[in-house]
Amino acid sequence: MSMTSADPIANLAMLIRCPSVTPAEGGALTALAAMLAPLGFTVERMTAREPGMPDIENLYARIGTGGPHLMFAGHTDVVPVGNEAAWTHAPFGAEVAGGEMFGRGAVDMKGGIACFVAAVARQIAKNGPPKGSLSFLITGDEEGPAVNGTIKLLQWAAERGERWDACLVGEPTNPDQLGDMIKIGRRGSVSGTITVHGVQGHAAYPHLADNAVRGVIALTDALMHPPFDAGTENFQPSNLEVTTIDVGNPATNVVPAQAIARFNIRFNDSWTAETVMAEIVRRLDAAARDERLRPGRPPLRYDIAWAERPSHVFLTRNDRLIASLSGAVEAVTGRAPKLSTTGGTSDARFIKDYCPVVEFGLVGQTMHMVDERVAIADLETLTVIYETFLQRWFGDARA
Ligand SMILES: [Zn+2]
């Protein structure tokens, strides 16, 4: 077997040196394939295409033919470096200084991939191939539009008969220290744009006009209050933010005819995307009839346009998966990880339609920042956690 792939630090250095800013493959999937093939994986590359969008390269690799089947999912694409001059060390250099490795993707999430590869290599060296099957499902389109990535790779694999019993996503889930947090679900997310139609006129003759600003204030107020819920056992309260209100009126003596507001709601498991959208429309319709800001007026006219593809809320309830992972984290770090559903969306929202999915990776503090970096010690610790998880999951799965 390749000695290199058992070393997460060497693996990560190889991956960081591939400038794989979305949508560029940058050599990262080729480097990963070169780590996995010598371990016995069958590695396939799948290019996803969509009109008007750049082609995206993805990778699927599997070892074993029988069950149970565990998937490791992640992405090799990274966000842009930002102000390159502000970096202490070159963003694609993988330089080590002060016990840390610097580079774009160090924690989000080439580091997670590097550690999982190392864990698998060590397990195969010690115990032979897994008693079942193990797959890597790695996309190059997580940080971008996420259209030609995990969603299509899952479809492609499922059409070829691939079935999975569980999935671990290696995103950086720990806020401060390795062992803080496992993600066992995610809130849903829906965005929309409201356009309020009024009547333009003279500011001194408002009775002849219908000010769209009054309308948009009434509608956005109704979205922000009262709270949608108080939270649930596993989730924070749902929260809606109005992200912009645009009128674009340059005159002080003109009543504007149109106002546009955008919003985003992160919702918990007391809602579905459909019910939360219905609640938003109910609130808007009630506010449109409210005469408080528009006394004596007929109901205001507005349109709502929903952003494409809402993210659905999910909560993973799979004892074997959660217990083997959280047990592994505790055995290695001595700390019981919090089982959390906080934070933004991830590709787990697509995977949950195929199998139970949890997320655990590095400490996320520097993700997407200038000087993204990872503690060398964390790479070794995460590798041991992943190795322990593999032993426990396949062990328990056999029992
Ligand atoms: Zn990521």
Side-chain angles (χ1 to χ4, degrees), residues 275-295:
T275 61
V276 86
M277 286 157 83
E279 167 64 9
I280 287 167
V281 170
R282 188 195 66 73
R283 288 180 177 220
L284 293 175
D285 284 343
R289 289 189 300 271
D290 183 352
E291 292 191 12
R292 196 164 40 95
L293 296 181
R294 299 167 61 256

Side-chain angles (χ1 to χ4, degrees), residues 74-75 177 224 255 325 356:
H75 61 92
Q177 258 188 291
M224 291 184 284
V255 167
L325 181 58

Side-chain angles (χ1 to χ4, degrees), residues 67-70 123 127-134 165-166 319-321 323-325 328 386-399:
H69 188 175
L70 178 71
Q123 273 299 296
N127 302 320
K131 310 289 182 289
S133 295
L134 181 59
D165 296 294
D319 290 343
R320 188 172 90 210
L321 178 59
S324 14
L325 181 58
Y386 280 161
E387 229 195 307
T388 310
F389 164 67
L390 285 168
Q391 280 170 342
R392 289 183 180 211
W393 191 84
F394 280 104
D396 288 359
R398 268 205 312 283

